[in-house]
Amino acid sequence: MRTFANWMVAMFMIMYWGFRVVVAYQAANYAEFFVQPINLTVEIILLFVTVVCIVLVFKRKLIGGIIYFLSYLAYFGIDLFNAVMPVFSGGDLGADYMTAFTSFLGIVLAFVVLLDLSVDKGRKPKDKKTDWFYTNKDYDRQFDDRADRNNYKTL
């Protein structure tokens, strides 16, 4: 984790995972909650997959972001699609607003994680101890025109 934005993305991942744990726990206890899981069994499997993805994201592995995005897109994308399609077909939004919003939030969060990891792959980490010397052209060796440039080899 190199920047504050990396930390914030990872913390939002953990907070959303904790929210989904609460949703799954409330559904397992048959308690009323403002969001219901789509499928409780798949939700629990997704929670364990998310834990593995969080570890990979903390290690800055791109495969963790890809798995996270694809699994959230497959799980929450279907729910979001089913919630939004009645609006486009001229009907009323029959699904719960909060479930559709949390599905949208999950997909956006997964996309931001993937974007954060893919943008971060091209950057070189800064080394403050040596960059002042190696990236500064003032300290490059200046050769004199009269200098001997022969490479003598001894036998």
Side-chain angles (χ1 to χ4, degrees), residues 16-54:
Y16 191 76
W17 177 80
F19 171 71
R20 294 312 295 186
V21 167
V22 171
V23 168
Y25 179 76
Q26 293 292 335
N29 287 334
Y30 303 107
E32 285 295 322
F33 199 60
F34 63 95
V35 176
Q36 297 297 323
I38 304 162
N39 184 350
L40 186 60
T41 307
V42 177
E43 179 91 20
I44 292 171
I45 292 169
L46 188 65
L47 289 173
F48 285 108
V49 169
T50 303
V51 169
V52 173
C53 291
I54 288 172

Side-chain angles (χ1 to χ4, degrees), residues 143 147-154:
F143 286 106
D148 187 14
R149 291 192 174 90
N150 292 327
N151 295 323
Y152 297 107
K153 295 182 182 177
T154 58

Side-chain angles (χ1 to χ4, degrees), residues 91-103:
D92 190 21
L93 187 62
D96 186 20
Y97 292 111
M98 285 307 292
T99 303
F101 176 71
T102 56
S103 295

Side-chain angles (χ1 to χ4, degrees), residues 103-153:
S103 295
F104 177 73
L105 192 65
I107 292 171
V108 168
L109 178 65
F111 180 72
V112 168
V113 167
L114 182 63
L115 187 68
D116 181 47
L117 288 174
S118 63
V119 167
D120 196 39
K121 278 297 177 191
R123 288 191 292 186
K124 178 185 161 195
K126 290 186 177 183
D127 186 11
K128 293 180 182 177
K129 294 178 184 175
T130 59
D131 276 355
W132 66 272
F133 181 78
Y134 289 110
T135 59
N136 195 347
K137 298 295 179 190
D138 295 337
Y139 293 105
D140 284 348
R141 188 170 179 182
Q142 303 294 328
F143 286 106
D144 190 9
D145 291 336
R146 298 169 291 164
D148 187 14
R149 291 192 174 90
N150 292 327
N151 295 323
Y152 297 107
K153 295 182 182 177

